[in-house]
Amino acid sequence: MFNKLLIILCGVIFCNMAVASSNIKTSSEISLSTSSIYDFLERDESWFAIKDIAEKKNINSVTIYFQGKIDNNVTQSQVDDINALLTTKMQESGLLVRDCLECNKTRLHLTKTSIKYQRGLESNKELRLLGKEIQSDAFLMWRMGLSDSSQNITLSLVQAENNETIWADGYLMTKKEEEIKKELNPHQFGFAMSYIDLSGDAKVNGESHDAFNNVTDFSLRYYTRHLPSERLHFAVIANYFQNTDRNNLFNVEGGGIEGRVLYTLTPSWPAPSLYIGAGSQFVEGKNSFAMRSGVEFAYMKNGFFDIGVAYIEKNSFKSKHQGDVVTGKFGGAAVDFTIGFRF
């Protein structure tokens, strides 16, 4: 009984692995985060090039200079982290890194009609004078841009004495159009199979019989991650079930629909989500109230499995077996184990 179900479950896992392996993303398709910029800055090629050009141009000291703006996308902590990383890389290249308090000063310009704020240096002349003042041979100037759909960083090594750009490099990654659409409209479908430990009892001529001990449930699911929040999402589930071991005494089969609410506790693997759902199950022509509750876990790319409790309102059913009237009961609460995948 259970062995048959286990074989089927293994088949589902194998199919899901095949789907996942066929959808492995290349480096140009990975999700965007500042970690991609950090990976770029960790490449040895750029720092070998800087070390080589510094030796040719007789550059011994350098100052890190962030030219961008601090806003909602680029935070001060991100700038501080990258400044620290750039400082380490320049020191590993054999260069002395000098601090520059003047580089980040905010200046106030007042006129009769306006107030303007200016951050950093305003001209190449100021850069040359500042290089002499702090005894820096060059400035490693950088900018960074982050958004929901792209990220970029540009680096340039500028010689202080003549404002000549002697080295430049950059990194740009943008999400593919289909990825952006998926995020804006992240609906998913799913297919799942469940083992539910619901038993059926039968009576023939007043004598009790154990008819079956579990049912197998197949479901098609529709998920949405729209309002009210990213973590709180909903599902509409249509299912069909029947008792796993068919017999001639008493069998049940039915279908139904369920509305489910899920809340993801944390987006990191295995992304556990608490869920509770309610709906109707039509069992042998009778409408029964049903509920399910538990925890859903993610595995691999789109796979998931649920561990919870299922409840189906208990009803009595009648059937005939070899001329005898069989009275059966089905329903109650039981353990629900589900495995499936989203697509």
Side-chain angles (χ1 to χ4, degrees), residues 148-167:
D148 292 337
S149 60
S150 68
Q151 63 173 251
N152 69 83
I153 187 171
T154 57
L155 305 167
S156 58
L157 188 63
V158 179
Q159 203 162 0
E161 65 177 3
N162 57 11
N163 302 118
E164 179 186 358
T165 301
I166 57 178
W167 174 88

Side-chain angles (χ1 to χ4, degrees), residues 198 241 279-281 283 286-291 310-317 329-333:
L198 278 173
F241 70 89
S280 293
Q281 295 291 319
V283 184
K286 290 187 177 182
N287 184 16
S288 300
F289 173 74
M291 288 189 65
Y311 170 79
I312 297 178
E313 180 184 2
K314 184 171 286 190
N315 278 313
S316 298
F317 305 90
K329 288 185 177 181
F330 169 75

Side-chain angles (χ1 to χ4, degrees), residues 8-17 191 193 299 339-341:
I8 298 174
L9 292 178
C10 291
V12 173
I13 295 174
F14 178 79
C15 292
N16 192 30
M17 292 178 64
F191 176 78
M193 183 173 62
Y299 74 94
I339 188 168
F341 61 92

Side-chain angles (χ1 to χ4, degrees), residues 120-136:
L121 305 177
E122 295 181 319
S123 66
N124 289 336
K125 182 178 179 181
E126 285 189 11
L127 191 66
R128 292 194 298 271
L129 293 175
L130 181 60
K132 291 181 181 180
E133 183 179 340
I134 63 177
Q135 299 180 348
S136 183

